[in-house]
Amino acid sequence: MKNVLITGGAGFIGANFVHYLLNAEPDVQIINLDALTYAGNLENLADLRDNPRHIFVVGDICDQELVNSLFHDHRIDTVVHFAAESHVDRSILGPGQFVQTNIVGTFTLLEAARRSWLIEKRLPAETVRFHHVSTDEVFGSLQPGEPAWTEDTPYAPHSPYSASKAASDHLVRSYFYTYGLPVTISNCSNNYGPYQFPEKLIPLMILNALEGKPLPVYGDGKQVRDWLYVEDHCAAIYRILQAGKTGETYNIGGNNQPTNLEIVHTICRILDQLCPDSPHYPHAHLIKFVADRPGHDRRYAMDITKITSELGWQPQEDLNSGLDKTVQWYLTRPEWVRSITEREDYQSWMKSNYANR
Ligand code: NAD
Ligand code: DAU
């Protein structure tokens, strides 16, 4: 791994991974391609401004000419593909951009890799890798008591977001079977931690609670997610790059399954401890049950036996310590928070998603 193209590296997980990889691999050069959509934030990379090992390119993964030129000019040998439209609620209100970025964008990157590595043969075949970052949501929804998803579970996506990610996974796999492109795929559960955009459950609840705004819990709040601290996700991807077998898929998860309501109560408890003088104490009084998400998946759970037994990865952070760290991170980053919450597009998103619930 020498010249790594990271897509979506100004977003939540991508930015965490850029930092992780620069620390883990002292000789690696990162080309970070990001369109800086509403979810991309250069503040997530502020400490890397003068780092010669990190080259930031503003651009769209659907731009074939640009992507081809990055492969050519930087002799890209490894791709870690994060860039996506990632929020389920936004995919319900506007699915078109999800089809474009998540499906067409992935196709564009695959074509560039095929051309550079397999047609023009710019680099030795055994030195290249295309890693696609995907989601557990491609598996659909579990009933209470059903076993966790394995890598062999058939796909059954329910939202436009998860359907677009499923399509991208299928495309990536097809390039392995049809052309022999050396790919790996990971399907990961819900991430949380530093730099997460405050449209997702955990940062949204932290910020709303701090401001004394309602904490909007969809439906009965008994939906279950499998939460993973973002640094553990980064470590898992790195491990797959090091030792994963091409053509293979790896499930990644945190081995925990609280309900959404339990998560929100835990956040409120942490805030009660950290901010006992807050006018919004006790924060759980802010919880408000609101209309459910259409097609809301009830339960996710990942079986991580394969990555644990074959690659020796397992999560290091437990949910309580991870949530503690996360709340502290948001409490100590008021400028980062304001750089998002004061934006008009953020405020209008909040209105459009929550006004009529
Ligand atoms: P995010 O929304 O925080 O960031 C996405 C990034 O992609 C942003 O920086 C954005 O500017 C960039 N981007 C969007 N469209 C682009 C385009 N056309 N060209 C170039 N860049 C573009 O997302 P995230 O939560 O960090 O998720 C990253 C990846 O991980 C996604 O593929 C997502 O499906 C997957 N994933 C996320 C989670 C999670 O819990 N957040 C869990 C499993 C998998
Ligand atoms: O499972 C992996 C997926 O996790 C990733 O692929 C997605 O990119 C990521 O956004 C996330 O999807 P979710 O829909 O599970 O995450 P979100 O934070 O939006 O919601 C988590 C749960 O909380 C879900 O059951 C919906 C609920 N929720 C969410 C919001 C934003 C609420 O009850 N209220 C809210 O305001």
Side-chain angles (χ1 to χ4, degrees):
M1 190 180 350
K2 279 193 193 139
N3 298 308
V4 182
L5 176 63
I6 294 183
T7 69
F12 163 47
I13 308 174
N16 277 283
F17 187 75
V18 166
H19 286 98
Y20 186 96
L21 191 63
L22 285 171
N23 282 330
E25 289 280 330
D27 296 325
V28 108
Q29 170 91 47
I30 292 177
I31 316 303
N32 183 351
L33 173 62
D34 196 297
L36 293 180
T37 68
Y38 79 91
N41 187 350
L42 284 178
E43 290 304 310
N44 299 353
L45 304 164
D47 55 324
L48 304 178
R49 255 172 219 139
D50 300 320
N51 189 328
R53 294 169 53 219
H54 175 250
I55 297 174
F56 187 76
V57 180
V58 186
D60 191 333
I61 55 165
C62 302
D63 181 343
Q64 189 76 69
E65 214 178 305
L66 169 67
V67 176
N68 286 348
S69 73
L70 292 179
F71 268 80
H72 183 270
D73 297 349
H74 297 282
R75 291 179 65 78
I76 298 297
D77 53 56
T78 305
V79 176
V80 188
H81 174 33
F82 292 96
E85 288 295 334
S86 70
H87 193 35
V88 173
D89 290 328
R90 289 189 193 247
S91 84
I92 294 167
L93 292 177
Q97 195 56 46
F98 286 71
V99 171
Q100 181 64 15
T101 297
N102 299 0
I103 306 177
V104 178
T106 302
F107 165 71
T108 307
L109 289 163
L110 286 166
E111 275 296 279
R114 179 166 84 93
R115 177 174 144 161
S116 175
W117 298 343
L118 304 182
I119 298 173
E120 296 170 357
K121 295 191 174 24
R122 289 182 172 275
L123 295 163
E126 62 284 3
T127 63
V128 298
R129 172 76 71 83
F130 188 111
H131 182 73
H132 177 59
V133 179
S134 191
T135 171
D136 60 356
E137 298 200 7
V138 297
F139 297 122
S141 182
L142 287 164
Q143 295 302 318
E146 270 191 287
W149 293 312
T150 72
E151 288 77 2
D152 297 326
T153 304
Y155 278 26
H158 291 151
S159 71
Y161 163 70
S162 53
S164 68
K165 291 296 291 186
S168 68
D169 292 10
H170 289 317
L171 267 176
V172 173
R173 223 169 269 126
S174 79
Y175 272 61
F176 171 76
Y177 287 113
T178 308
Y179 305 112
L181 195 77
V183 308
T184 40
I185 299 176
S186 50
N187 293 89
C188 187
S189 63
N190 285 61
N191 283 215
Y192 68 101
Y195 302 122
Q196 187 164 31
F197 192 84
E199 62 187 351
K200 307 283 164 61
L201 180 75
I202 288 177
L204 182 76
M205 295 297 156
I206 298 170
L207 299 190
N208 276 15
L210 283 172
E211 287 190 34
K213 291 182 180 163
L215 308 181
V217 171
Y218 295 166
D220 62 5
K222 290 189 182 148
Q223 303 81 9
V224 169
R225 296 291 182 266
D226 176 340
W227 293 94
L228 183 70
Y229 192 65
V230 63
E231 202 174 315
D232 279 326
H233 188 186
C234 295
I237 293 171
Y238 182 55
R239 192 68 200 123
I240 295 169
L241 290 175
Q242 287 179 315
K245 210 169 141 227
T246 55
E248 293 288 314
T249 289
Y250 297 89
N251 280 2
I252 306 172
N255 269 343
N256 61 62
Q257 288 160 54
T259 64
N260 292 341
L261 201 51
E262 284 164 347
I263 289 279
V264 178
H265 274 289
T266 305
I267 292 170
C268 290
R269 265 199 309 277
I270 297 172
L271 284 171
D272 287 349
Q273 278 161 12
L274 293 174
C275 316
D277 300 328
S278 162
H280 316 301
Y281 182 100
H283 296 86
H285 281 173
L286 298 167
I287 292 173
K288 183 180 173 207
F289 290 92
V290 300
D292 210 349
R293 174 185 276 176
H296 199 170
D297 289 335
R298 196 69 182 161
R299 177 177 156 241
Y300 301 156
M302 288 298 251
D303 182 330
I304 57 169
T305 309
K306 179 175 173 181
I307 189 166
T308 305
S309 60
E310 290 183 15
L311 304 186
W313 171 88
Q314 51 187 4
Q316 299 300 308
E317 202 70 59
D318 73 39
L319 190 54
N320 285 322
S321 63
L323 278 175
D324 244 9
K325 277 190 184 175
T326 305
V327 173
Q328 304 255 16
W329 191 88
Y330 282 89
L331 274 176
T332 51
R333 299 294 187 295
E335 278 159 27
W336 184 92
V337 168
R338 271 200 304 275
S339 76
I340 294 170
T341 54
E342 287 179 355
R343 268 167 31 198
E344 208 178 300
D345 62 337
Y346 179 75
Q347 291 166 7
S348 70
W349 161 253
M350 295 304 285
K351 273 200 203 110
S352 61
N353 193 44
Y354 293 100
N356 300 319
R357 282 186 184 273

